[in-house]
Amino acid sequence: GLQLSAGTAVAQLVALAAIPVLARVFVPAELGEFSIFFFTSQLMGVLLGGRYEQAIMIARREREIQGLLIVSTAIATIGAVAIALTLAFLHPVLDTATATSLGLWWPLAAVCGLFASTSTTLTVLAIRYERYATISASRLIKPMVALALQVALALTILPGLAGLAAGEIIGVISSTALLCYNLRGLDTFVGLPRPDRTLDWKYVLAI
C-alpha cells in the first residue's frame, strides 16, 4: 500500500515537473497537437480491453485468470489493429476536423492505446498478487522515460509533435515491458494454456 502510494505520488510529481520543461522546448501549437494525440491514446487504452481485466480480481482459479489475460489482450489487439487501419484511412479528414496535422500519428495513437490497455491489464494482475512495488516502478518509469526521450528527440532528430508522440509511445512500452518482466514468474504467465470453456459466457455476462 505505501509503496504503491509513494510510486504514484512520485510519478505525478514527475509529470507536473515535465510541464515547464516541455513548455521551454516545444511551442504551444505542438503541445496542443500532442494533447489530442495523448487524449486519443488514453481513450483507446480505456476502451480497447473491453474491461475484461476487472474480472481478474474476482476470478477464483489460475486457469480463469489466464483465460481473462488472453481474452483481454486478444480483444485489445484486434481492436487496436482495426482502429489503426481506420484512422490511417481517415487521417486527412481528422486533421481537417481538428485543425491539426497529426497525419499518421492518428493510427499510432491506437498503437499507444494498445500498450496502455495491456499495461492496465497487467496492473490489475499485479494488484491481484499484491505486487505493489512492481506497479509503483511501472508508473514511475513511464513519465521519466517519456520526458527524457521527448526532450532528447526534440533537440536532435525528431522536433515537434513527432518527438512528443514518439516519447509517449516508448514511455508506455517501457512501462508495459517492466510489468511483463516483473510478473514473468507468476504461475499465471507460465504456459498460458487455453482458457476454460466455462469462462466465456460467465464473464462476458458479468461485465
Side-chain angles (χ1 to χ4, degrees), residues 14 16 46 48 68 83 96 105-106 125 127 133 141 144 154 203:
V14 172
L16 288 174
V46 172
L48 281 174
L68 289 164
I83 293 172
T96 301
W105 289 107
W106 283 108
L125 181 66
I127 293 173
I141 195 173
M144 293 179 65
Y203 286 110

Side-chain angles (χ1 to χ4, degrees), residues 114-193:
L114 171 60
F115 282 99
S117 175
T118 304
S119 179
T120 299
T121 300
L122 294 176
T123 297
V124 174
L125 181 66
I127 293 173
R128 167 72 185 249
Y129 290 99
E130 299 182 352
R131 298 292 187 90
Y132 300 123
T134 293
I135 299 172
S136 295
S138 70
R139 288 182 176 175
L140 183 58
I141 195 173
K142 188 265 182 183
M144 293 179 65
V145 170
L147 176 61
L149 283 175
Q150 286 167 339
V151 173
L153 291 173
L155 298 177
T156 54
I157 59 174
L158 281 179
L161 171 65
L164 284 165
E168 177 66 20
I169 293 173
I170 297 173
V172 174
I173 291 175
S174 65
S175 176
T176 305
L178 181 64
L179 283 166
C180 286
Y181 180 80
N182 286 340
L183 295 175
R184 71 192 187 284
L186 295 177
D187 291 339
T188 306
F189 264 29
V190 177
L192 283 180

Side-chain angles (χ1 to χ4, degrees), residues 7-33:
T8 301
V10 174
Q12 291 176 341
L13 288 176
V14 172
L16 288 174
I19 296 175
V21 175
L22 295 177
R24 293 182 65 86
V25 178
F26 300 94
V27 300
E30 294 167 343
L31 293 173
E33 289 186 334

